[in-house]
Amino acid sequence: MTQPGRAPEARPDKAPTAQLLDIRNLTVTYRTGGGPLPAVRGVDLSLAAGQKLGLAGESGCGKSTLAASVLRLLPPGTTTTGEILLGGEDVLTMGWSRLRAVRWAGASIVFQGAMHSLNPVRRIAHQIAEPILLHDKVSETLAHERVAVLLEQVGLAAARASAYPHELSGGQRQRVMIAMALACSPNLIVADEPTTALDVMVQAQILRLIGDLVAAQGISLLMISHDLAVLAQTCDRLAVMYAGRIVEDGPAHQVFTDGRHPYTRALAAAFPRIGDPSSRRAPHGLPGDPPDPTALPTGCAFRPRCPLAIETCAHVDPALSVAGPGRAAACVHVTSVPTGGER
């Protein structure tokens, strides 16, 4: 999306791999009592077949809106423009019958908070079997055999199939959500902060499980989180989102350890380094709050919180520019932000 003071965006250089998901100039605007609320503003993002892409940013930056857009799960009254190409087909222009076929079988979503996503009055087996029966058109016997295999894949005993959601722990419920996402062998899984409500040990187990399963089955993964460290460990690529736009994109470990955008560097610095007492006693926070989407500052949206802001930033809303091999950042300092080396 080209705006006054903006040049056309440049995507990071990528190898000529097939793009399973290609989001082009996506804008999402909610209708509210106070007027239009722009949640996603001109996002370009792609995901290659078999690749794991992380999407990071603070609460309210548009991550979950972007995730819901992939399968058109946004509430009524939302205005969406641009293109979301899934396997070459535009999700935004699909008819309902085609969209129903694509959901679960083409792409599936693991939501945060499994207790709110699972039906509390239906047994686990019935909930996992439902998409299999709907999309694969198999007998109930074969569907429930598949359920047993899926539960084993996510580390749950087949006997848990008869349980109700409230009889499972938080980690077990999240494993059920992963089994449901895998039920129809999709090409893409969108994981929207799947470990938010879990303790650190269970979180690590779930993340390892997701990573192992998508790698073993060749599934593409779009993992959404506010935790850069989690995404750096789990994903191949990492995109950072701020105020509805992508501000950095590149190889996950490089983005985490050597961010080219000041916002990325601030997020990475907020994580204490294990074994470094100074970082534990004096953590580096990010001052201020994300901007109100209905009243964004002129120029760069990050300017009021940026330690490197200059006068140009008040007038120019920078587009993504090449910031190294396979990397891009939206900052006027993209060629001069000092590198921090390995963390």
Side-chain angles (χ1 to χ4, degrees):
M1 180 170 62
T2 303
Q3 301 173 349
R6 283 174 60 88
E9 295 198 355
R11 294 188 180 189
D13 298 329
K14 301 181 180 71
T17 52
Q19 300 302 320
L20 175 66
L21 177 66
D22 198 4
I23 299 174
R24 301 177 180 176
N25 197 26
L26 179 67
T27 65
V28 179
T29 304
Y30 292 115
R31 184 176 61 197
T32 70
L37 189 155
V40 175
R41 305 183 298 127
V43 164
D44 289 313
L45 199 63
S46 61
L47 176 61
Q51 191 177 50
K52 294 178 288 185
L53 170 65
L55 182 61
E58 294 170 286
S59 297
C61 73
K63 306 186 303 297
S64 292
T65 295
L66 185 63
S69 301
V70 172
L71 286 176
R72 259 167 61 189
L73 297 174
L74 296 169
T78 304
T79 301
T80 306
T81 63
E83 294 178 295
I84 302 176
L85 302 179
L86 184 60
E89 294 184 78
D90 191 351
V91 173
L92 300 182
T93 61
M94 286 180 182
W96 280 109
S97 60
R98 178 56 183 157
L99 185 60
R100 283 172 58 88
V102 167
R103 290 172 176 171
W104 293 104
S108 58
I109 294 184
V110 179
F111 293 104
Q112 56 179 304
M115 197 61 181
H116 302 293
S117 302
L118 296 171
N119 189 327
V121 299
R122 297 191 68 198
R123 297 182 189 275
I124 295 304
H126 296 145
Q127 300 190 55
I128 301 176
E130 183 176 9
I132 300 173
L133 293 168
L134 178 64
H135 290 276
D136 293 345
K137 311 296 183 183
V138 299
S139 67
E140 288 199 15
T141 299
L142 289 177
H144 284 279
E145 288 178 359
R146 171 73 173 150
V147 169
V149 172
L150 288 166
L151 289 176
E152 182 180 352
Q153 287 180 339
V154 299
L156 288 177
R160 304 306 284 165
S162 61
Y164 288 97
H166 71 272
E167 296 177 313
L168 303 177
S169 68
Q172 289 174 329
R173 287 193 293 267
Q174 207 61 40
R175 290 172 185 269
V176 170
M177 291 295 296
I178 297 168
M180 292 177 67
L182 293 169
C184 296
S185 302
N187 297 316
L188 169 67
I189 289 180
V190 179
D192 185 9
E193 304 211 39
T195 60
T196 296
L198 306 177
D199 64 57
V200 174
M201 294 300 293
V202 177
Q203 179 186 39
Q205 294 171 6
I206 296 298
L207 290 172
R208 191 180 307 113
L209 173 65
I210 294 175
D212 291 345
L213 287 172
V214 297
Q217 301 184 29
I219 299 171
S220 296
L221 173 68
L222 175 58
M223 172 82 80
I224 294 169
S225 177
H226 63 279
D227 192 329
L228 256 69
V230 162
L231 296 178
Q233 294 173 2
T234 308
C235 300
D236 307 313
R237 275 180 52 227
L238 176 58
V240 180
M241 199 167 185
Y242 186 80
R245 291 187 52 230
I246 302 298
V247 297
E248 185 159 355
D249 184 5
H253 183 69
Q254 293 181 26
V255 171
F256 180 58
T257 59
D258 184 20
R260 300 299 170 85
H261 193 284
Y263 178 60
T264 305
R265 296 180 66 81
L267 288 180
F271 294 92
R273 284 167 286 188
I274 296 175
D276 184 354
S278 62
S279 71
R280 184 177 69 250
R281 294 167 185 164
H284 298 281
L286 181 59
D289 297 308
D292 180 350
T294 62
L296 294 173
T298 58
C300 176
F302 186 59
R303 173 177 55 86
R305 307 172 72 189
C306 181
L308 301 179
I310 57 177
E311 184 177 353
T312 303
C313 302
H315 310 289
V316 176
D317 186 9
L320 283 172
S321 302
V322 175
R327 304 190 63 179
C331 179
V332 297
H333 296 287
V334 71
T335 59
S336 60
V337 172
T339 59
E342 297 295 315
R343 281 176 55 86

